[in-house]
Amino acid sequence: MEKTAFSRHLDLSSVRISDSFWNEKLELVRREVIPYQYDALNDAVAGADKSYSVENFIKAGKIAEKIKNGESVPVFPTDKWCYDENNSPPEAFHGWVFQDSDVYKWIEAVGFSLINHPDEELEKRADELIEIVCAAQLPDGYLDTLFIINDRDAVFTNLKDRHELYCFGHLAEAAVSYYRGTGKRRLLDSALKFADLICDAFGPDGIKGYPGHEIAEMALVKLFEETEDKKYLEAARFFIDERGKKPYYYDIVEGKKTVYDNYHYNQAHTQPKYQYEAVGHAVRGVYLYSGMADIAKYCSDDELYFACKKLCDSIINRKMYITGGIGATVDGEAFSFDYDLPNDLAYSETCASIGFIFFLRRMLETAPDALLGDAVERALYNTVLSGMALDGKSFFYVNPLEVLPEASSKDSRKRHIRPVRQKWFGCACCPPNLARLISSVGEYAFTENENIFFIHQYIGSAVKSENAVIEIISDYLDSGNVTIRLKPKKSFTLALRIPLWSKKYSFSEGFTEKDGYAYFCINEATEIKASFCPEIRMIKCSNKVRYDLDKIAVTRGPFVYCLEQADNGRDLQMLKISKTPDFSYEGLFITANGFREKESEQLYSDWKEAEMSPVRLKFIPYYRWANRGEGEMQVYVRI
Amino acid sequence: MEKTAFSRHLDLSSVRISDSFWNEKLELVRREVIPYQYDALNDAVAGADKSYSVENFIKAGKIAEKIKNGESVPVFPTDKWCYDENNSPPEAFHGWVFQDSDVYKWIEAVGFSLINHPDEELEKRADELIEIVCAAQLPDGYLDTLFIINDRDAVFTNLKDRHELYCFGHLAEAAVSYYRGTGKRRLLDSALKFADLICDAFGPDGIKGYPGHEIAEMALVKLFEETEDKKYLEAARFFIDERGKKPYYYDIVEGKKTVYDNYHYNQAHTQPKYQYEAVGHAVRGVYLYSGMADIAKYCSDDELYFACKKLCDSIINRKMYITGGIGATVDGEAFSFDYDLPNDLAYSETCASIGFIFFLRRMLETAPDALLGDAVERALYNTVLSGMALDGKSFFYVNPLEVLPEASSKDSRKRHIRPVRQKWFGCACCPPNLARLISSVGEYAFTENENIFFIHQYIGSAVKSENAVIEIISDYLDSGNVTIRLKPKKSFTLALRIPLWSKKYSFSEGFTEKDGYAYFCINEATEIKASFCPEIRMIKCSNKVRYDLDKIAVTRGPFVYCLEQADNGRDLQMLKISKTPDFSYEGLFITANGFREKESEQLYSDWKEAEMSPVRLKFIPYYRWANRGEGEMQVYVRI
């Protein structure tokens, strides 16, 4: 690791986004998603699955009150993943074990949103909800409604499955965001108090366990960044160091030896420093890798950084869909083996691509490399955005690359592939995760250190940085042109990512190039014009991937395109694109010459060259699919 | 239905097979499979899953003895699908609920085999086993070891899941086979006694239920054919008529209303006469359809026959793999929706193709049509034979059309796809089913009525029929030439199936053609030479099937060919066949010109024409795959 290349993302308060594309998304989150999700958390959305999230905090608050008063409280089992009206009494905890995290993710998104757009009414609501949350905290700092309501004696007894440390992680992230957005410490103090309890309980002389669902690692680092108290960094490091040690902690607790998968699902099969292949539950994976990257950087741990580099390579070069989606199998919502990237069975969870972006930013903060910035862009402009409808009112959990609605309804192997976005999920991780990522997109565009300002994503913004006041006027997504106006506070270096898709590019000033970044010496107020070339490209997937042979995907700039039934009729598999497609870019869509094969009459017949009729194919950006009712969709098209 | 076209298969004792291809298989079953399975049934195979089959009969015999003596017997639950040492006490029933059927299938195979090849030692073993079986029968005729051992009060209370009527069906089929093979009535009398009990218990004034797993329908028809007692036909008809009536019998028994799949899995979603699409568990489906075809013919039921024709059409034209495999999904081991025929996820159970042949023969016996005979051939020479290793010592349950061993071990969606045949299954339906089908293959080759002798499959044989003494000298599988020597007992018509794959064909005598059969008037001793033309063909699958676009399969005569890693190296997906392949037929294999694509370096890159090196591809018959260790296999190859 070269420490001179280390950088940190900017505080959102230093970034004002002026980009029309992104402002529309930010406004959608502020106006539609955040209010809708508030109602959902409060079980006030007709027809949606009950969340129970706020209800649980209110129940826990009452229990906490009784405990403070020395009153006795009832005990209920904590042995399930999900508690509902059929398996739990009304006074017990309800919902998934990780239900608290939905409240935290909402508060985190509000914290970010308030920086971008102050809103008294929203802040008041959030303050009220934070009071409800904090009222549930026990005097010792413990805060997880499942165990407060159901059984305090079971606290930290099932780290593998019960998500207490996961919920803590989201609490900490929400607390930091809300503190930065409002200056209010109420939730941050609660989170620190819980963190202190965790630091006391875990460690060489305490519990030698680690989270079943990772996130606490990177969340503790955020608390360290906020407080500069190294005990939080040490706690994160402890979780990473203990993970995967043999004999397995989870086996010790359960008193039995694992014979099946050795915790690959939880990335606990071996110690993180020896993990070179991305395996198991994809969201858990990238959350862990994010924490690993944090620790590698803050603790100068070369061994851990080497593992992070290997994991990046494993994903980007062998396990990532062209859309930046990760997690190729529904079984365990997991990474599949190398080059196994089926289109119609993909899991490619919205949350996994969000977590992948968390990981990639941390890797960029350690060593900038256009490969990493390119992957952020791929995930952001394709799988992340496709997670939300254009009206912000419905969401995809799973982001397949090929959809046949008949298969989704009739083939149980494809039941997870939804052809239409859903309003709200009982297990609602993706919508609030989307809200917090989009609201904080500025954190992913730029990083800096005392000498260098990095632009990773060309999002039109006004930035007040340590090095300079910077204005970015971006037409990146359309023409590929970006203007950067700089008023330096001192001499510094500007580093611009050169998108991998842009085979030709030019800058108005001289530069040096390293790892796909162009470096400029800035000594005075100046303007740099960058011209990238978002050509329409036909991309083929490696022939090690068995699903995309003799097919191509159409891309332009960061966007992957797809065919929809609404534009091209049904039986999309009968379409072929011409090798000389005469592409035309029409803003929101691309057209190309192609053919429609004549429908076969028999199931089996002698091969002969297919009869084809010329058609003009119409492609739309992948993130815009499924906004016009149910229909077929395909990213890859035969050539 | 035209009754003049009705025909019946020949008794095996009238058919002596001289065909070298089939004699080898018959000998394999006799020398390897039958003895091996006897050991397996008796839990005498080291390393194989325990069968418990014979053990259960011995236990049940002791219980039956106690009952006859008026002694009290213990009661155990009958609420599971499978009983093992972990969930059942040693004195209770063990194995799957249908474990008895493995014993019956073995006896059935022995019955057939003894006709082909008398064998005193084998007959003695079978007689002893039959004594053990009959000793378990209760005085009232009831005979199912699960309920005899565990709980007689639960008899016929869970028809949907507990397989009593299924085991009865296999008992009846075994009894008929063994009686015909040996003339011994011991098992037949037991079966008839149990059948009488069933005829009394079920009916308009009795239980209005029907089997959850079908077979009793066609088995009862066999008892009718053997005894000419119409009550067995009526019982079969009753099961078919009651099936799928609303309110559902299964709902009435369980006291609740089905909300999920309405028993599609059991083909009980609607009455069979209204079933036009093959759905649900594929083996159950074709067993039901076989019974329906029997009843349609014997009861001249046009409505039921119409449904059978529709079901044939549904399978042959929309749900059948090129290998004659059926059942495209592991979930429910079931038919998928129309044109959903994935290669690497196929279920295509050996038993399903065997049951499909049962159904097709019954349809041929009602109205000969080359489409049906062609489907028998497809299933027989590909999926059925691929179910057994060339040495007869290991078996496939599932017969995929594409295998990547890495996927089978690492992708849980493909756990059912085994790259290597297994020795014996706990749920061992396929090996004994194979044994009984192969041992009785003569029943599928020929049918006749008082005026017409049909040759459906050109298997070299000497046949003593009602119409003539017939000798068939067949080089059908190799050169396509068949000589038929006829010594008629009277004037009659010979009907020869013209294989659909034979675009050119000639006969040495004049004929008329109808529905793909050539009809010859035979008045005197004569010899007819038939010449078919087994060209090597490149077959494409309909473009409604999304998995085989821009690919072809190589066939020759009835055989589908495939590529194996052992001959063509790994990464078979990188191979392409030339449009002008210059095929060469080398007896056991075919070679063709093709190309190997250069391996891609990047996961995603600009499309350009692939770099290819010429290679000579080597194809082997599909039924011979996986006899040389673990490796990749592909039926469809890119063109």
Side-chain angles (χ1 to χ4, degrees):
Chain A
M1 286 181 281
E2 265 182 68
K3 289 196 182 176
T4 52
F6 283 8
S7 64
R8 272 274 289 149
H9 63 273
L10 278 78
D11 196 283
L12 271 195
S13 60
S14 319
V15 180
R16 178 143 303 275
I17 289 175
S18 55
D19 192 289
S20 63
F21 182 91
W22 281 102
N23 264 344
E24 189 197 311
K25 302 295 171 202
L26 288 168
E27 275 296 284
L28 213 55
V29 168
R30 194 179 70 84
R31 285 176 193 255
E32 294 292 340
V33 184
I34 288 176
Y36 178 79
Q37 291 181 355
Y38 181 81
D39 289 344
L41 295 172
N42 284 280
D43 300 324
V45 175
D49 288 349
K50 270 192 92 170
S51 157
Y52 303 106
S53 301
V54 173
E55 190 181 299
N56 285 330
F57 277 104
I58 293 170
K59 279 182 195 168
K62 289 179 185 159
I63 301 278
E65 189 59 32
K66 285 190 183 175
I67 289 167
K68 281 172 208 159
N69 296 337
E71 293 172 44
S72 73
V73 294
V75 171
F76 306 102
T78 58
D79 57 344
K80 286 175 277 291
W81 284 87
C82 190
Y83 304 77
D84 59 28
E85 277 141 22
N86 297 317
N87 66 20
S88 283
E91 59 274 34
F93 175 90
H94 280 136
W96 292 89
V97 291
F98 44 78
Q99 216 68 23
D100 290 0
S101 66
D102 284 350
V103 168
Y104 299 143
K105 278 189 263 187
W106 183 82
I107 295 171
E108 187 180 358
V110 171
F112 293 133
S113 180
L114 290 174
I115 303 175
N116 302 323
H117 192 291
D119 180 330
E120 261 184 47
E121 181 55 32
L122 179 61
E123 188 169 337
K124 189 162 158 278
R125 281 190 173 186
D127 285 341
E128 285 165 6
L129 186 52
I130 287 170
E131 282 311 314
I132 293 171
V133 167
C134 293
Q137 189 165 36
L138 297 185
D140 64 359
Y142 186 80
L143 182 45
D144 183 287
T145 69
L146 168 60
F147 291 91
I148 294 172
I149 298 170
N150 280 19
D151 188 0
R152 281 179 302 139
D153 285 343
V155 160
F156 299 146
T157 57
N158 185 348
L159 297 175
K160 178 161 70 72
D161 303 325
R162 296 291 169 263
H163 284 64
E164 290 159 283
L165 294 172
Y166 172 78
C167 289
F168 156 72
H170 275 296
L171 164 62
E173 300 220 326
V176 170
S177 158
Y178 202 73
Y179 170 63
R180 295 208 185 156
T182 63
K184 292 176 180 167
R185 291 192 61 94
R186 182 79 169 108
L187 195 66
L188 182 60
D189 287 337
S190 274
L192 291 171
K193 200 171 167 187
F194 192 11
D196 291 343
L197 172 80
I198 289 167
C199 290
D200 286 345
F202 291 80
D205 302 321
I207 306 170
K208 289 183 179 168
Y210 40 87
H213 192 315
E214 303 91 329
I215 193 179
E217 299 82 354
M218 64 170 149
L220 282 161
V221 173
K222 279 199 183 179
L223 293 183
F224 158 71
E225 289 169 344
E226 202 56 50
T227 63
E228 296 188 358
D229 188 337
K230 284 208 167 174
K231 76 173 170 189
Y232 303 126
L233 197 63
E234 285 309 312
R237 194 188 171 99
F238 178 80
F239 284 150
I240 288 172
D241 283 349
E242 287 303 307
R243 187 169 213 89
K245 273 190 186 168
K246 287 167 196 164
Y248 292 121
Y249 171 78
Y250 300 143
D251 287 349
I252 296 168
V253 169
E254 292 184 21
K256 62 181 179 190
K257 201 164 158 10
T258 303
V259 288
Y260 177 47
D261 82 339
N262 293 323
Y263 306 113
H264 279 86
Y265 173 79
N266 308 81
Q267 294 81 38
H269 51 296
T270 190
Q271 282 188 269
K273 62 184 170 185
Y274 304 126
Q275 294 192 21
Y276 299 158
E277 182 185 354
V279 297
H281 188 272
V283 174
R284 294 174 197 236
V286 286
Y287 280 16
L288 169 65
Y289 311 151
S290 300
M292 287 164 65
D294 276 337
I295 293 297
K297 182 178 146 198
Y298 281 115
C299 301
S300 298
D301 185 330
D302 286 318
E303 208 174 20
L304 207 55
Y305 180 63
F306 183 75
C308 288
K309 295 251 289 180
K310 285 284 190 184
L311 289 163
C312 253
D313 172 63
S314 164
I315 300 175
I316 293 176
N317 293 319
R318 292 179 295 283
K319 301 201 177 193
M320 179 183 73
Y321 286 98
I322 190 171
T323 53
I326 56 173
T329 173
V330 62
D331 284 345
E333 305 176 328
F335 290 105
S336 189
F337 59 96
D338 284 349
Y339 304 108
D340 187 45
L341 295 165
N343 298 308
D344 57 343
L345 287 167
Y347 201 70
S348 184
E349 187 180 336
T350 307
C351 284
S353 282
I354 291 170
F356 186 33
I357 291 172
F358 296 163
F359 175 38
L360 290 165
R361 188 191 71 196
R362 284 161 174 81
M363 292 301 283
L364 280 169
E365 289 177 350
T366 309
D369 183 328
L371 264 176
L372 306 170
D374 179 75
V376 169
E377 188 175 89
R378 226 179 245 283
L380 190 61
Y381 286 98
N382 298 289
T383 299
V384 170
L385 288 183
S386 87
M388 185 168 73
L390 292 178
D391 65 4
K393 291 181 176 170
S394 57
F395 305 91
F396 275 136
Y397 208 94
V398 165
N399 297 279
L401 281 77
E402 181 173 328
V403 168
L404 175 67
E406 186 179 17
S408 298
S409 68
K410 293 184 179 170
D411 183 351
S412 51
R413 292 167 295 196
K414 295 180 184 164
R415 237 170 239 155
H416 63 292
I417 306 286
R418 301 286 181 89
V420 179
R421 290 181 185 79
Q422 308 290 299
K423 293 299 276 180
W424 183 259
F425 305 88
C427 171
C429 55
C430 297
N433 231 351
L434 262 167
R436 70 183 184 127
L437 182 84
I438 292 173
S439 300
S440 62
V441 72
E443 286 193 355
Y444 300 87
F446 319 112
T447 65
E448 70 171 342
N449 61 29
E450 61 269 34
N451 299 311
I452 316 175
F453 185 89
F454 292 94
I455 299 185
H456 304 291
Q457 305 300 333
Y458 296 93
I459 296 178
S461 324
V463 180
K464 285 178 190 153
S465 103
E466 186 177 339
N467 289 290
V469 173
I470 302 168
E471 192 183 356
I472 297 139
I473 300 119
S474 175
D475 196 41
Y476 178 78
L477 300 178
D478 201 10
S479 66
N481 296 326
V482 183
T483 301
I484 300 144
R485 293 192 186 128
L486 303 139
K487 288 184 195 160
K489 295 177 181 170
K490 56 182 177 63
S491 293
F492 76 103
T493 300
L494 175 71
L496 302 182
R497 179 174 66 89
I498 304 164
L500 294 178
W501 47 256
S502 188
K503 273 176 269 180
K504 291 177 232 156
Y505 53 86
S506 64
F507 299 101
S508 59
E509 302 285 329
F511 63 98
T512 55
E513 196 179 324
K514 191 189 167 203
D515 295 334
Y517 278 71
Y519 289 82
F520 302 83
C521 294
I522 307 295
N523 301 309
E524 57 187 27
T526 187
E527 185 178 281
I528 293 176
K529 284 184 187 292
S531 289
F532 304 118
C533 189
E535 290 169 293
I536 299 169
R537 293 169 68 191
M538 293 204 284
I539 302 294
K540 78 177 176 74
C541 188
S542 164
N543 56 14
K544 293 173 197 160
V545 176
R546 286 159 191 256
Y547 307 99
D548 305 322
L549 300 163
D550 302 318
K551 293 177 184 172
I552 61 98
V554 171
T555 67
R556 183 181 185 280
F559 294 112
V560 174
Y561 282 69
C562 67
L563 293 170
E564 274 204 308
Q565 184 176 335
D567 298 313
N568 301 283
R570 53 177 299 168
D571 284 319
L572 296 178
Q573 85 279 9
M574 295 186 193
L575 298 173
K576 285 194 171 194
I577 191 167
S578 166
K579 288 178 182 177
T580 51
D582 188 19
F583 282 121
S584 164
Y585 171 62
E586 322 265 358
L588 283 180
F589 56 92
I590 287 169
T591 61
N593 283 336
F595 308 93
R596 179 173 275 276
E597 226 178 78
K598 194 183 161 196
E599 192 175 300
S600 304
E601 283 168 13
Q602 289 182 286
L603 186 52
Y604 302 108
S605 57
D606 282 300
W607 176 80
K608 56 181 186 205
E609 293 283 0
E611 285 178 55
M612 308 269 226
S613 322
V615 291
R616 190 80 186 154
L617 304 174
K618 185 173 171 182
F619 294 85
I620 63 162
Y622 176 74
Y623 82 90
R624 296 181 73 89
W625 87 275
N627 279 287
R628 292 173 294 175
E630 189 173 293
E632 296 177 25
M633 184 276 290
Q634 252 182 233
V635 168
Y636 286 96
V637 57
R638 295 157 68 197
I639 185 157
Chain B
M1 286 180 283
E2 264 183 68
K3 291 196 181 176
T4 52
F6 283 9
S7 64
R8 272 273 289 149
H9 62 271
L10 277 79
D11 196 283
L12 273 194
S13 60
S14 319
V15 179
R16 179 142 304 274
I17 289 175
S18 55
D19 193 289
S20 63
F21 182 90
W22 280 102
N23 265 344
E24 188 197 314
K25 302 295 169 202
L26 287 167
E27 275 297 284
L28 213 54
V29 167
R30 193 179 71 82
R31 287 178 192 255
E32 294 292 340
V33 184
I34 288 177
Y36 179 79
Q37 290 180 356
Y38 181 80
D39 288 343
L41 294 173
N42 285 280
D43 301 324
V45 175
D49 289 348
K50 270 193 90 168
S51 159
Y52 304 104
S53 302
V54 173
E55 188 182 302
N56 285 329
F57 276 105
I58 293 170
K59 279 183 196 169
K62 289 178 187 160
I63 301 277
E65 190 60 33
K66 285 190 182 174
I67 290 168
K68 281 172 207 157
N69 297 336
E71 292 173 45
S72 73
V73 293
V75 172
F76 305 100
T78 58
D79 57 344
K80 285 175 277 293
W81 284 87
C82 190
Y83 304 78
D84 59 30
E85 278 142 21
N86 296 317
N87 67 18
S88 283
E91 60 274 35
F93 174 91
H94 280 138
W96 291 89
V97 291
F98 43 79
Q99 215 68 23
D100 289 2
S101 65
D102 284 350
V103 169
Y104 300 143
K105 278 188 266 186
W106 182 82
I107 295 171
E108 188 180 355
V110 171
F112 293 133
S113 180
L114 290 174
I115 303 175
N116 302 323
H117 192 290
D119 181 331
E120 260 183 51
E121 181 56 32
L122 180 61
E123 188 168 336
K124 187 163 160 278
R125 281 192 173 186
D127 285 341
E128 285 165 5
L129 187 51
I130 286 170
E131 282 311 313
I132 292 171
V133 167
C134 293
Q137 188 164 37
L138 297 184
D140 64 359
Y142 185 80
L143 183 45
D144 184 284
T145 68
L146 168 60
F147 291 91
I148 294 172
I149 298 169
N150 280 19
D151 188 2
R152 279 180 303 139
D153 286 342
V155 159
F156 299 147
T157 56
N158 185 348
L159 299 175
K160 178 161 71 69
D161 303 324
R162 296 291 168 264
H163 285 62
E164 290 160 281
L165 294 171
Y166 171 80
C167 289
F168 156 73
H170 275 295
L171 165 63
E173 300 219 327
V176 170
S177 159
Y178 201 74
Y179 171 63
R180 294 206 186 158
T182 62
K184 292 176 181 167
R185 289 193 62 94
R186 182 76 169 112
L187 195 65
L188 183 61
D189 288 336
S190 273
L192 290 171
K193 201 171 167 190
F194 191 11
D196 292 343
L197 172 79
I198 289 168
C199 291
D200 286 346
F202 290 80
D205 303 322
I207 305 170
K208 289 183 177 168
Y210 40 88
H213 192 315
E214 303 92 329
I215 194 177
E217 299 81 353
M218 62 172 153
L220 282 162
V221 172
K222 280 200 181 172
L223 293 183
F224 159 71
E225 289 169 346
E226 202 56 49
T227 62
E228 295 187 359
D229 187 337
K230 284 209 168 176
K231 76 174 169 188
Y232 303 125
L233 197 62
E234 285 309 312
R237 192 184 176 102
F238 178 79
F239 284 150
I240 287 171
D241 284 350
E242 287 303 306
R243 187 170 212 87
K245 273 190 185 168
K246 287 170 197 163
Y248 292 121
Y249 171 77
Y250 300 142
D251 286 350
I252 295 168
V253 169
E254 293 186 18
K256 64 181 179 192
K257 200 165 162 8
T258 304
V259 287
Y260 177 46
D261 82 338
N262 294 321
Y263 305 113
H264 279 85
Y265 172 79
N266 309 79
Q267 296 81 36
H269 52 295
T270 190
Q271 283 188 267
K273 63 184 170 185
Y274 304 127
Q275 294 191 21
Y276 299 159
E277 182 185 354
V279 298
H281 188 271
V283 175
R284 293 173 196 236
V286 287
Y287 280 16
L288 170 65
Y289 311 152
S290 299
M292 285 165 64
D294 276 336
I295 294 296
K297 181 179 149 199
Y298 280 115
C299 301
S300 297
D301 186 330
D302 285 318
E303 208 173 20
L304 208 54
Y305 181 62
F306 183 76
C308 288
K309 295 251 289 181
K310 285 283 189 185
L311 288 163
C312 254
D313 172 63
S314 165
I315 299 175
I316 292 176
N317 293 318
R318 291 179 295 284
K319 301 199 178 195
M320 178 183 73
Y321 285 98
I322 190 169
T323 53
I326 56 173
T329 173
V330 63
D331 283 345
E333 304 176 328
F335 289 106
S336 188
F337 60 96
D338 284 350
Y339 303 108
D340 186 45
L341 296 165
N343 297 309
D344 57 343
L345 288 167
Y347 202 69
S348 183
E349 187 179 334
T350 307
C351 284
S353 282
I354 290 170
F356 185 34
I357 290 172
F358 296 162
F359 175 38
L360 290 164
R361 186 189 73 195
R362 285 160 175 81
M363 293 301 284
L364 280 169
E365 288 177 349
T366 310
D369 183 328
L371 263 177
L372 305 170
D374 178 75
V376 169
E377 188 174 89
R378 225 179 247 281
L380 191 59
Y381 286 97
N382 298 289
T383 298
V384 171
L385 289 184
S386 85
M388 186 166 75
L390 292 177
D391 64 4
K393 290 180 178 173
S394 58
F395 305 91
F396 275 137
Y397 208 94
V398 165
N399 297 280
L401 282 78
E402 182 174 328
V403 168
L404 174 67
E406 185 178 19
S408 298
S409 68
K410 294 185 180 171
D411 183 351
S412 51
R413 293 167 296 196
K414 294 180 185 165
R415 235 169 240 156
H416 62 293
I417 306 285
R418 300 285 180 90
V420 178
R421 289 180 186 78
Q422 308 290 301
K423 294 298 276 179
W424 184 258
F425 304 88
C427 170
C429 54
C430 297
N433 231 351
L434 261 167
R436 70 184 184 124
L437 183 85
I438 291 173
S439 301
S440 63
V441 71
E443 285 194 357
Y444 300 87
F446 319 112
T447 66
E448 72 171 340
N449 61 30
E450 60 271 35
N451 299 311
I452 317 175
F453 184 88
F454 292 93
I455 299 184
H456 303 293
Q457 304 300 333
Y458 296 93
I459 295 177
S461 325
V463 179
K464 287 178 187 152
S465 104
E466 183 175 343
N467 291 289
V469 173
I470 303 169
E471 191 183 358
I472 297 140
I473 301 118
S474 175
D475 196 40
Y476 180 77
L477 299 178
D478 201 9
S479 66
N481 296 327
V482 183
T483 301
I484 299 144
R485 294 194 185 124
L486 302 138
K487 290 186 191 155
K489 297 177 181 171
K490 57 183 177 62
S491 293
F492 77 103
T493 301
L494 175 71
L496 302 183
R497 179 174 66 89
I498 305 165
L500 294 179
W501 47 257
S502 186
K503 272 176 272 181
K504 290 178 234 156
Y505 52 87
S506 63
F507 299 102
S508 58
E509 301 287 326
F511 63 97
T512 54
E513 194 178 327
K514 192 189 169 203
D515 295 333
Y517 277 72
Y519 289 83
F520 302 82
C521 295
I522 308 295
N523 301 310
E524 58 188 25
T526 185
E527 184 177 281
I528 293 176
K529 286 185 185 290
S531 290
F532 304 118
C533 190
E535 290 168 292
I536 299 169
R537 293 168 68 192
M538 293 203 283
I539 303 294
K540 78 177 174 76
C541 187
S542 165
N543 57 13
K544 291 174 199 159
V545 176
R546 287 160 190 256
Y547 308 99
D548 306 323
L549 300 164
D550 303 319
K551 293 178 184 173
I552 62 99
V554 171
T555 68
R556 184 182 184 278
F559 295 112
V560 174
Y561 281 70
C562 66
L563 294 171
E564 273 203 309
Q565 184 176 335
D567 299 313
N568 301 281
R570 52 177 300 170
D571 285 318
L572 296 177
Q573 84 280 7
M574 294 187 193
L575 298 173
K576 284 193 171 194
I577 191 167
S578 165
K579 289 179 182 176
T580 52
D582 187 20
F583 281 121
S584 163
Y585 172 62
E586 321 265 357
L588 283 180
F589 56 94
I590 287 171
T591 60
N593 284 335
F595 309 92
R596 181 174 275 273
E597 227 178 75
K598 194 183 161 200
E599 192 175 301
S600 305
E601 284 168 12
Q602 289 183 283
L603 186 53
Y604 302 109
S605 57
D606 281 299
W607 177 81
K608 56 181 186 209
E609 293 285 359
E611 283 177 58
M612 308 270 227
S613 322
V615 290
R616 191 80 183 155
L617 304 175
K618 183 173 173 183
F619 294 86
I620 63 161
Y622 175 74
Y623 83 90
R624 298 180 72 89
W625 87 275
N627 279 286
R628 294 173 291 175
E630 190 174 292
E632 296 178 25
M633 184 275 290
Q634 249 180 235
V635 168
Y636 287 96
V637 58
R638 295 157 69 196
I639 186 157

